[in-house]
Amino acid sequence: MESLGKAAVAEFVATFALIFVGAGAVITASAGNLDLVGVALAHGLVLAVMVSITGHISGGLVNPAVTIALWAAGRIGTQRGAVLILAQMAGAVVGALLVRYIVGAASFDAGSAGAPTLGTGVAVGTGIVLEAILTFFLVFAVFGTAVDDKGPWNKTAGFTIGLVITFDILAFGPLTGAAMNPARWF
């Protein structure tokens, strides 16, 4: 792993890309110009690429939930985890602000800022349980490919993690937005 400063920059850029592309896709879909498959692929592909690019620098975490899971498992220290979460949240804010600038305030607001929302008739409790399950799948993929010393990091981690995001959004995006990431809700 690279220095903490380089890791923070990598997490900022990767999370910025995820929010910029992901929120942009959601807003584009809300205007009727993209469907669920497009939204899922936008999220999955940008995450696959960003994890692959930043894995050797920061671990390619791109998600406070993943960072917290690694901290809880004793895989990263408290200071590193806190700095990476701050970088992720800052990247999310800058990504959202630039999407708003690009698409304009009216489209941004009409698309709920590209943020995940509960679908019609989905209770908050049901949404929380579903998001917990989807986030588990994501963290399980991260641990299985990027964290486990026997996992195939250099071969499949970015692709595998991106596919988990894609299938979670395809299956349950209409119900909860399939966030799996506190930076997306933030």
Side-chain angles (χ1 to χ4, degrees):
M1 293 284 171
E2 295 285 339
S3 72
L4 184 53
K6 288 181 181 178
V9 170
E11 288 297 306
F12 174 91
V13 171
T15 308
F16 162 80
L18 175 63
I19 301 306
F20 184 78
V21 171
V26 170
I27 291 166
T28 300
S30 72
N33 298 319
L34 195 62
D35 62 9
L36 180 62
V37 173
V39 171
L41 286 173
H43 282 87
L45 292 172
V46 71
L47 189 64
V49 170
M50 289 299 127
V51 167
S52 297
I53 290 170
T54 62
H56 70 287
I57 301 168
S58 64
L61 309 178
V62 199
N63 183 335
V66 170
T67 307
I68 291 167
L70 288 171
W71 172 79
R75 300 295 236 160
I76 61 172
T78 301
Q79 178 186 8
R80 185 177 185 87
V83 168
L84 295 182
I85 288 171
L86 288 173
Q88 292 160 353
M89 299 307 273
V93 168
V94 172
L97 289 172
L98 283 172
V99 167
R100 186 178 191 275
Y101 173 76
I102 299 292
V103 302
S107 293
F108 188 79
D109 293 342
S112 300
T117 57
L118 289 176
T120 305
V122 178
V124 172
T126 301
I128 290 170
V129 170
L130 182 52
E131 282 295 322
I133 294 167
L134 299 179
T135 303
F136 169 79
F137 292 154
L138 174 61
V139 172
F140 189 66
V142 170
F143 272 76
T145 60
V147 176
D148 186 344
D149 294 333
K150 296 176 185 171
W153 168 256
N154 292 325
K155 296 178 184 154
T156 68
F159 181 68
T160 301
I161 294 164
L163 283 178
V164 170
I165 295 296
T166 303
F167 72 61
D168 279 357
I169 292 171
L170 284 170
F172 295 106
L175 299 181
T176 65
M180 301 162 278
N181 187 332
R184 284 192 60 216
W185 285 97
F186 181 68

